[in-house]
Amino acid sequence: MQEVFYTVIEWLFWIGIFIVFYTYLGYGTLLYVLVKVKELFKKPISIGLPKPLPEVTLFIAAYNEEDIVASKMENSHALAYPTDKLKIVWVTDGSNDRTNELLKQYPEVTVLFQPERRGKTAALNRGIQYITTPYVIFTDANTMLNKEAVHEIIRQFSNPEVGCVAGEKRVETNTAHGATAGEGIYWKYESALKALDYRLYSAVGAAGELFAVRTELFEQMPSDTLLDDFILSLRIAQKGYKIAYCKEAYATETASLNMKEEEKRKIRIAAGGLQSVWRLRNLFNIFRYGMLSFQFVSHRVLRWTITPVMLFLLIPLNIILACYGKFTYIFLLLLQVAFYIMAYAGYMMEQKNVRNKLFFIPYYFSFMNINVIRGFFYLAGNKGNGAWEKAKRIQ
């Protein structure tokens, strides 16, 4: 009986190691190899801008953004796209600060407002009914776009297989405070994975800071949806279109003010991820969706479901195995202990506003996975509510 117990624990331990490794390093490595093999036989096709340029709507869903209205409008006016082709729409539902008053200074802007605050998804569902252009670009009020962003996004739509374009999110890392180090490194890695995903077949979702869709493909979402950008983009992919990843179109924002504010964001994203996995469960059907199913599970589902659980189960499993005296398991346990000591040191240094990548990266990695587990409880306690408290960012 003891032998059976040991074998079961051993199998669970090595399965756990495989899942954690595959989720964070293995999939990226496999993806790189698959892309290289594919491109040996099929070179990427260069695409140009459509002529004439189509009309586009820049859609900004905002809640109490009085501090950023002027900067966002200055940035929007600086976009290198014909002004007669670019319409700007702000949906400001529930805002009770000076956002609407400040927007009156811009007669070229369409402002859609209702007093009730029902969350961003409800604002998107309501606002899209007023969009008449063939393409709509969604962006957050607190993110600034590069000058050529609209041109580069529209260029991607020249490919009729593309139904959604995901821009790149960039986090400013030139400040001494905030959750800069972890957030910046995380998004650089995410951007690399998204680019490889698209080169293989399709990006797996888009970030709300900057993404665009063919207006006709917009699908109304339940108002309690937490990750509207992810759900909307994957719904389009389910219809047989691809999500293009365009690093030449990027949105820049500042990092979270501190790790407490970053924690709010991570918990909400994790809760939204769990919600999305359930609502997009049809994508598990690999016989119907093929490569998209493989990418969805490998890039998204694992990190939002089983991987964080397996990561923290490795500790007690390893302790049990080490008790049997095998050097391999004692050594692996020491490695785990060393990793979490470094993570704790990173946490203690964070409390004192001291940064060291050697310690901060293990801390941020542990922090992300803990918040995935906390996201489950957030989701359970926020049923039917699509509005959330925004995380504060560095000004």
Side-chain angles (χ1 to χ4, degrees), residues 177-386:
H177 304 288
T180 306
E183 197 177 349
I185 291 167
Y186 171 77
W187 277 106
K188 284 177 183 177
Y189 180 62
E190 264 300 291
S191 296
L193 282 185
K194 287 180 180 179
L196 287 170
D197 271 331
Y198 179 47
R199 286 166 63 186
L200 182 63
Y201 175 70
S202 170
V204 189
E209 288 77 10
L210 177 61
F211 77 107
V213 303
R214 296 181 189 271
T215 307
E216 63 184 355
L217 298 179
F218 185 96
E219 188 173 311
Q220 295 278 320
M221 296 166 284
S223 60
D224 66 340
T225 300
L226 295 173
L227 295 185
D228 50 89
D229 44 11
F230 187 72
I231 291 280
L232 175 57
S233 56
L234 264 297
R235 290 288 189 208
I236 290 171
Q238 281 184 306
K239 295 174 183 176
Y241 291 90
K242 294 180 180 180
I243 302 169
Y245 184 71
C246 182
K247 65 179 181 180
E248 291 78 19
Y250 56 87
T252 305
E253 67 179 2
T254 56
S256 299
L257 182 62
N258 50 48
M259 291 303 292
K260 192 67 181 173
E261 295 299 317
E262 179 70 352
E263 180 182 285
K264 288 181 195 173
R265 215 174 60 82
K266 287 296 183 190
I267 291 173
R268 181 184 60 79
I269 289 172
L274 288 164
Q275 182 191 65
S276 301
V277 167
W278 175 249
R279 293 185 177 177
L280 295 167
R281 60 191 180 278
N282 288 342
L283 277 174
F284 291 136
N285 187 348
I286 197 166
F287 299 105
R288 180 176 179 183
Y289 296 106
M291 185 60 72
L292 184 62
S293 291
F294 164 70
Q295 293 177 299
F296 176 60
V297 172
S298 298
H299 191 162
R300 299 296 186 180
V301 175
L302 288 176
R303 68 169 65 176
W304 282 334
T305 55
I306 191 171
T307 299
V309 176
M310 292 306 300
L311 176 67
F312 295 117
L313 270 178
L314 288 177
I315 302 168
L317 291 173
N318 201 166
I319 290 172
I320 293 170
L321 292 170
C323 288
Y324 284 84
K326 278 195 177 181
F327 174 77
T328 301
Y329 295 116
I330 294 172
F331 177 70
L332 290 173
L333 180 60
L334 290 174
L335 285 181
Q336 284 204 76
V337 170
F339 178 84
Y340 288 111
I341 287 174
M342 290 170 69
Y344 183 71
Y347 166 75
M348 294 304 293
M349 292 171 74
E350 169 63 25
Q351 303 306 300
K352 299 175 182 177
N353 282 323
V354 176
R355 286 279 159 69
N356 181 303
K357 284 187 180 181
L358 180 65
F359 299 108
F360 191 79
I361 291 174
Y363 163 52
Y364 195 81
F365 178 79
S366 304
F367 166 84
M368 284 196 307
N369 283 283
I370 288 169
N371 286 323
V372 171
I373 294 171
R374 296 178 68 185
F376 172 81
F377 299 101
Y378 177 96
L379 183 62
N382 284 269
K383 290 180 179 178
N385 184 8

Side-chain angles (χ1 to χ4, degrees), residues 18-53:
F18 173 78
I19 289 172
V20 172
F21 174 80
Y22 179 76
T23 301
Y24 292 109
L25 291 175
Y27 175 62
T29 304
L30 177 60
L31 193 57
Y32 178 81
V33 172
L34 291 174
V35 166
K36 290 300 181 183
V37 171
K38 176 190 173 182
E39 293 179 352
L40 280 175
F41 300 96
K42 186 178 180 181
K43 297 296 180 184
I45 302 171
S46 59
I47 50 178
L49 280 166
K51 294 183 180 179
L53 289 172

